[in-house]
Amino acid sequence: MLAVRGGLVVVAEAAAVDRDAAPAGEFLGVLPLADDPVFVTSVGLGDPLVGGAPLKWCHNRKCTCVYCFARKTHSYLDLDTGIGFDTQIVVKVNAPELLRRQLASRRWHGEHIAMGTNVDCYQRAEGRYRLMPGILGALRDHANPFSILTKGTLILRDLDLLTQAAEVTDVGVCVSVGFTDTELWRTVEPGTPAPERRLDVVRTLGEHGIGCGVLMAPVIPFLSDRPAQLRETVRAIAAAGATSVTPLVLHLRPGAREWFMAWLEQHHPRLVRDYERLYAESAYAPKWYQRRITRQVHELAREYGIGPARAGAARRIQPPEPKPPTVPEPTQLTLI
């Protein structure tokens, strides 16, 4: 099925996903998607999927996390935010070409570009469409600073491009790992790489000179917020060599709230009333609860030798220090 709004997006039906992710760095069994190519006219200002933010786009939607706040954006295209969000995908097939054109424009001043802030640019469909190599190549060629937030192990496919970009501009990479509980992961984040595989990404990037932070998100009230759970998650993040850890408590905006509460009723019915009270006045947990989680995680981070993310933190690989020129040893002259 195709649905085009203003020439900007294409929606293609996707088959049910395999709930177990493939090994780190690859996805096996690419999703069968519609073959109709649809070209977009802009990846910049005015994009209805990104709220007018410059050059932030969601070109591969296949996020099936129950809590995903991007579900609401599906309704902007008159699409369902539940099953529809899980089984339909938005692809901007010519995003790399348009990005390269915009980066070359005299109106573009090299602002930082953040990717993955709404939906993940390394979701499964990226294995088929391979848009990110072209995007990263354009950013590298224009030495334009950028950052990526992802759950996807597929980012390791583009390790060479990330390394090349980091030699000429600021590159920030952050991996999302909210908890390490395998059973919780299987039910609330189906179709995503397992937490330990995401931490393998952190480790591998670090080994190649690209410091990687961890967004510890979401911390899910009553399901992943016990002190022992927080400690285990921070310990694993530290062991992977993360440069920072930043906690973020679950928030339930319209679109995600209804879907998450239906999931909660099915899997943890005893917690429904607790959630109704905790989120009674806002899509966000109360400030006192957020501060408590943040304090606990930061204390654990200090204990394990890592800290919170610094604003604007990014990584540029520094060239090796030049060796000082060798000066020949002075020669003692002799009289004959």
Side-chain angles (χ1 to χ4, degrees), residues 71-299:
R71 289 181 178 275
K72 179 64 176 177
T73 62
H74 227 42
S75 68
Y76 302 164
L77 302 173
D78 300 325
L79 298 170
D80 175 58
T81 60
I83 292 294
F85 183 86
D86 289 349
T87 58
Q88 294 169 319
I89 185 167
V90 177
V91 182
K92 294 186 174 183
V93 293
N94 60 330
E97 293 81 3
L98 290 176
L99 173 61
R100 188 172 287 275
R101 186 188 311 165
Q102 292 193 12
L103 292 175
S105 170
R106 281 182 287 183
R107 293 180 297 174
W108 182 254
H109 302 295
E111 294 89 343
H112 181 98
I113 295 177
M115 293 176 279
T117 58
N118 190 41
V119 291
D120 202 322
C121 50
Y122 280 104
Q123 295 187 44
R124 288 172 176 255
E126 171 60 18
R128 168 176 177 171
Y129 287 97
R130 297 183 63 85
L131 300 180
M132 286 303 292
I135 289 169
L136 295 177
L139 293 168
R140 173 203 60 198
D141 293 347
H142 289 271
N144 201 106
F146 66 90
S147 60
I148 297 173
L149 171 63
T150 185
K151 283 187 175 78
T153 56
L154 192 57
I155 190 174
L156 294 181
R157 179 201 63 191
D158 297 335
L159 184 56
D160 287 345
L161 283 167
L162 290 169
T163 302
Q164 293 165 17
E167 291 173 349
V168 297
T169 190
D170 289 330
V171 174
V173 181
C174 195
V175 172
S176 176
V177 183
F179 45 83
T180 55
D181 185 321
T182 302
E183 291 307 311
L184 181 59
W185 158 66
R186 288 184 181 278
T187 59
V188 81
E189 296 179 335
T192 65
E196 59 268 25
R197 287 179 180 158
R198 289 177 239 164
L199 292 174
D200 286 340
V201 170
V202 176
R203 186 175 293 106
T204 301
L205 289 173
E207 290 170 352
H208 287 79
I210 301 176
C212 183
V214 169
L215 180 65
M216 190 170 159
V219 176
I220 305 179
F222 313 116
L223 291 174
S224 70
D225 64 348
R226 294 193 302 274
Q229 291 174 304
L230 296 177
R231 173 174 289 277
E232 172 54 28
T233 301
V234 175
R235 184 205 63 77
I237 291 170
T243 57
S244 65
V245 56
T246 305
L248 185 66
V249 174
L250 175 74
H251 51 80
L252 296 173
R253 299 176 188 172
R257 185 187 187 105
E258 297 82 359
W259 197 245
F260 181 86
M261 292 302 291
W263 172 87
L264 196 69
E265 178 70 49
Q266 178 181 356
H267 292 272
H268 304 279
R270 62 183 178 80
L271 295 179
V272 170
R273 293 296 299 275
D274 293 326
Y275 268 81
E276 289 173 346
R277 287 191 291 268
L278 193 64
Y279 291 90
E281 299 181 1
S282 172
Y284 297 86
K287 290 292 185 183
W288 63 263
Y289 179 86
Q290 295 184 52
R291 292 191 187 102
R292 189 186 79 187
I293 295 298
T294 299
R295 183 180 65 254
Q296 288 178 298
V297 170
H298 286 178
E299 288 173 354

Side-chain angles (χ1 to χ4, degrees), residues 166-167 316-322:
E167 291 173 349
R316 181 184 297 183
I317 295 179
Q318 299 296 330
E321 290 289 332

Side-chain angles (χ1 to χ4, degrees), residues 329-336:
E329 292 290 330
T331 303
Q332 177 65 48
L333 299 178
T334 58
L335 294 176
I336 300 177

